[in-house]
Amino acid sequence: MAYLVPSEFVTKMVDAGESKIFMSTRDTVIRAYMAGAILALAAAFAVSVNVSTGVPIVGAALFPVGFCMLYLFGFDLLTGVFVLSPLAWIDRRPGVTLGGVLRNWGLVFIGNFAGAFTVAVMMSIVFTFGFSSPPDKVGQIIGTIGENRTVGYAAHGAAGMLTLFVRGMLCNWMVSAGVVGAMISTSVSGKVIAMWMPIMLFFFMTFEHSIVNMFLFPSGLLLGGKFTISDYLIWNEIPTVVGNLVGGLAFTGLTLYATHVKTAPKRERQRLAA
């Protein structure tokens, strides 16, 4: 496993952010669509494993396969560009503007949601035999997840909103660590190992991931979950997106950039007393 030192892979992070900002609209949306679809399928897989085994750590241990696939294919998640794109602007790369960063975020959001929603519809068809039967056990569990993580938060009011936001922050701290993990090695095995660990952690801890939720909650609504679209948006998706942005950028992007690119001057050695 060829390892890159932090000063090298953080520079790669800035380069990646710059590349994503200047990518064409078509390519940005296609890559985001496929990322959302693959991650949604991985989420359905992990929930299915949890239901069949009754052991949540097994599903969490297997869920990262989807994340690894989409990043090895060069697809983009909103949680990743939340961290990478702003670094190119902060680094004052030529032609990079705040508007370009926001455009990139918007396009990736649209693509991720479209991909995740496509899989939500397809898996809902699978769980209900084309909506001709009640949801199977996995479908019922997905509906319950949607209820617990919308109206469940709402029942606690402001404290629930704070908890949701913090879980979103913690989620993208780990997910963005996985994004960076893909850059610290030049071998496929090294990339996969570095990505796998933080993604498994976030999924097992049930932190809030905006793109995973783009699959779970629309699926829950399609499968008869007892919550509404406004519940989903207000009591999950919007606070989760904000928490993902703050957590990933603050705890991963800015900290790595500050200490490995914009390093502070070294302290002078004190002369030994004569």
Side-chain angles (χ1 to χ4, degrees), residues 36-93:
I38 291 173
L39 198 70
L41 196 56
F45 166 60
V47 173
S48 299
V49 170
N50 287 349
V51 171
S52 62
T53 64
V55 184
I57 189 61
V58 177
L62 296 175
F63 170 74
V65 66
F67 184 88
C68 294
M69 286 172 58
L70 70 91
Y71 266 97
L72 291 174
F73 290 161
F75 300 146
D76 289 323
L77 291 174
L78 182 65
T79 43
V81 298
F82 271 164
V83 176
L84 300 178
S85 299
L87 295 183
W89 178 59
I90 293 168
D91 201 54
R92 299 182 179 180
R93 293 293 177 92

Side-chain angles (χ1 to χ4, degrees), residues 33-49 59 62-67 69-70 73 77 112 115-124 126-127 138 142 203 211-216 219:
Y33 178 91
M34 291 307 303
I38 291 173
L39 198 70
L41 196 56
F45 166 60
V47 173
S48 299
V49 170
L62 296 175
F63 170 74
V65 66
F67 184 88
M69 286 172 58
L70 70 91
F73 290 161
L77 291 174
N112 283 171
F117 186 75
T118 299
V119 173
V121 173
M122 295 172 72
M123 291 308 302
S124 295
V126 171
F127 295 145
V138 176
I142 289 176
F203 196 85
I211 292 84
V212 171
N213 291 355
M214 290 174 185
F215 161 73
L216 290 175
S219 294

Side-chain angles (χ1 to χ4, degrees), residues 106-214:
L107 291 174
V108 173
F109 180 95
I110 292 169
N112 283 171
F113 185 85
F117 186 75
T118 299
V119 173
V121 173
M122 295 172 72
M123 291 308 302
S124 295
I125 292 171
V126 171
F127 295 145
T128 61
F129 283 90
F131 298 105
S132 65
S133 302
D136 63 14
K137 191 172 182 180
V138 176
Q140 293 172 21
I141 293 295
I142 289 176
T144 302
I145 292 172
E147 292 175 32
N148 292 341
R149 287 161 63 177
T150 51
V151 295
Y153 286 122
H156 293 278
M161 185 64 74
L162 175 62
T163 302
L164 172 57
F165 174 74
V166 171
R167 290 176 77 172
M169 289 180 62
L170 291 168
C171 173
N172 207 28
W173 183 3
M174 290 297 96
V175 173
S176 58
V179 173
V180 175
M183 301 181 182
I184 70 173
S185 174
T186 56
S187 69
V188 172
S189 59
K191 289 176 182 291
V192 168
I193 292 169
M195 287 188 283
W196 205 281
M197 296 180 289
I199 302 305
M200 180 175 64
L201 189 157
F202 113 73
F203 196 85
F204 182 74
M205 295 295 289
T206 65
F207 293 151
E208 297 289 351
H209 190 280
S210 53
I211 292 84
V212 171
N213 291 355
M214 290 174 185

